Amino acid sequence: MTHLLTLDNVSKIFGGIRALSNVSLSVPPDRIVGVIGPNGAGKTTLFNVITGAYRATEGNVVFDGKEMTQWPSHRIMRAGIARTFQNIRLFGGMTVWEHLLVAQPHQGNMLRLVLPARFADPVAWRRAEEALDIFGLGAYRDTVARTLSYGLQRKVEMARALTTGPKLLMLDEPVAGMNHDEAEELRLLLLRLQGQGLSILLIEHDMPFVMRLCHQLYVLNFGSLLAEGTPAEVRSNPAVLDAYLGSETAC
Ligand code: ATP
């Protein structure tokens, strides 16, 4: 199968710390893939390497048939990868609608931060409307995003990522801070997006959520891959139980 994203023996070393060590993984098209593992295992570093925030010390990253290991992050975003962050990153004072307009690459340069939303181009406008609709944020369109509940702010971040028109959506702990109903609603929404052809790579500690959503899982531990497989395979892997899931009661 041709994969959308492939990492081949990727390592990232900070000074003496080997945050990632020979990690190989792949994301097939139209699939939801999860990355799990204990705190400090290297999950966010992995996201940072894929999105160009960090350069891999060794190894290759190929996306959509292109070797992009050394690409800067804006080029990677234009190639079709969008992400959200573990710590929500929303701009102070900007409404939900403004967030959805400014994220889009074809909206030009920094001017998009100061131009009133009415000057947005029609494509950006349509994408923002779609994202607003998909995430059920219509009622909050003109609300300053940072004043919303934590769960809604997470949705704004995801909607913003979606407006860039990605082929791969990368979510860093998307249900952190969400209650059970919000998480379940998001799970169904992500399945719907996957059904429409989007690939999703996510980091998450909420094991019931991960196990019910992902087609494939990778388990990181101390920067190395400990296991990979379907949720059922990973759940019954003794090494994973020992290093990680043994301490998670609810999966
Ligand atoms: P968590 O689940 O707590 O978010 P994680 O699996 O995402 O953890 P990372 O944040 O990727 O783990 O960290 C992996 C290791 O790399 C840690 O030892 C961390 O201290 C180290 N690390 C990450 N970023 C840097 C950096 N910029 N400089 C130095 N060390 C770093």
Side-chain angles (χ1 to χ4, degrees):
M1 180 193 293
T2 310
H3 293 295
L4 181 62
L5 176 75
T6 305
L7 271 66
D8 182 24
N9 278 302
V10 166
S11 298
K12 178 66 191 174
I13 300 167
F14 297 105
I17 300 171
R18 227 177 150 80
L20 290 175
S21 202
N22 300 311
V23 173
S24 296
L25 63 77
S26 50
V27 179
D30 309 349
R31 282 290 171 269
I32 304 179
V33 175
V35 180
I36 62 173
N39 291 330
K43 304 180 295 297
T44 298
T45 302
L46 181 78
F47 266 35
N48 284 333
V49 166
I50 295 169
T51 55
Y54 295 157
R55 289 240 161 119
T57 313
E58 300 158 0
N60 294 310
V61 182
V62 175
F63 176 70
D64 207 13
K66 296 179 197 82
E67 150 83 57
M68 51 162 234
T69 320
Q70 303 300 327
W71 285 13
S73 38
H74 64 88
R75 192 169 168 204
I76 293 171
M77 185 180 85
R78 281 170 194 268
I81 296 183
R83 77 174 289 186
T84 64
F85 296 87
Q86 194 175 337
N87 302 311
I88 292 173
R89 296 189 183 181
L90 296 173
F91 301 113
M94 279 174 56
T95 65
V96 169
W97 179 248
E98 286 164 344
H99 274 91
L100 300 188
L101 284 181
V102 299
Q104 303 187 46
H106 54 279
Q107 273 283 83
N109 55 26
M110 286 301 284
L111 267 180
R112 67 190 180 206
L113 288 173
V114 295
L115 285 176
R118 64 179 177 277
F119 293 122
D121 77 50
V123 176
W125 195 278
R126 182 176 48 76
R127 283 189 173 170
E129 289 282 11
E130 280 170 7
L132 204 66
D133 189 43
I134 289 169
F135 283 89
L137 290 167
Y140 309 102
R141 183 189 177 107
D142 298 320
T143 307
V144 172
R146 275 203 193 159
T147 64
L148 294 171
S149 72
Y150 203 70
L152 285 170
Q153 289 192 41
R154 286 228 169 265
K155 280 189 176 179
V156 174
E157 270 218 315
M158 287 183 255
R160 177 174 63 179
L162 206 61
T163 63
T164 65
K167 296 179 179 131
L168 176 67
L169 181 62
M170 294 177 47
L171 307 173
D172 195 343
E173 300 196 22
V175 295
M178 286 191 179
N179 64 34
H180 177 270
D181 289 351
E182 287 173 323
E184 181 56 15
E185 188 198 335
L186 180 65
R187 191 180 71 82
L188 298 175
L189 201 154
L190 294 178
L191 282 171
R192 211 165 71 223
L193 290 173
Q194 174 251 325
Q196 292 167 6
L198 187 68
S199 298
I200 299 170
L201 179 65
L202 62 94
I203 295 171
E204 190 47 69
H205 285 287
D206 181 330
M207 283 306 113
F209 178 84
V210 163
M211 295 292 172
R212 295 183 66 209
L213 176 65
C214 296
H215 301 104
Q216 181 82 8
L217 292 178
Y218 288 90
V219 188
L220 274 180
N221 194 32
F222 292 116
S224 297
L225 268 187
L226 181 67
E228 63 179 276
T230 63
E233 287 165 347
V234 163
R235 202 167 21 208
S236 58
N237 182 315
V240 179
L241 284 168
D242 199 33
Y244 184 49
L245 292 184
S247 61
E248 301 282 325
T249 49
C251 67

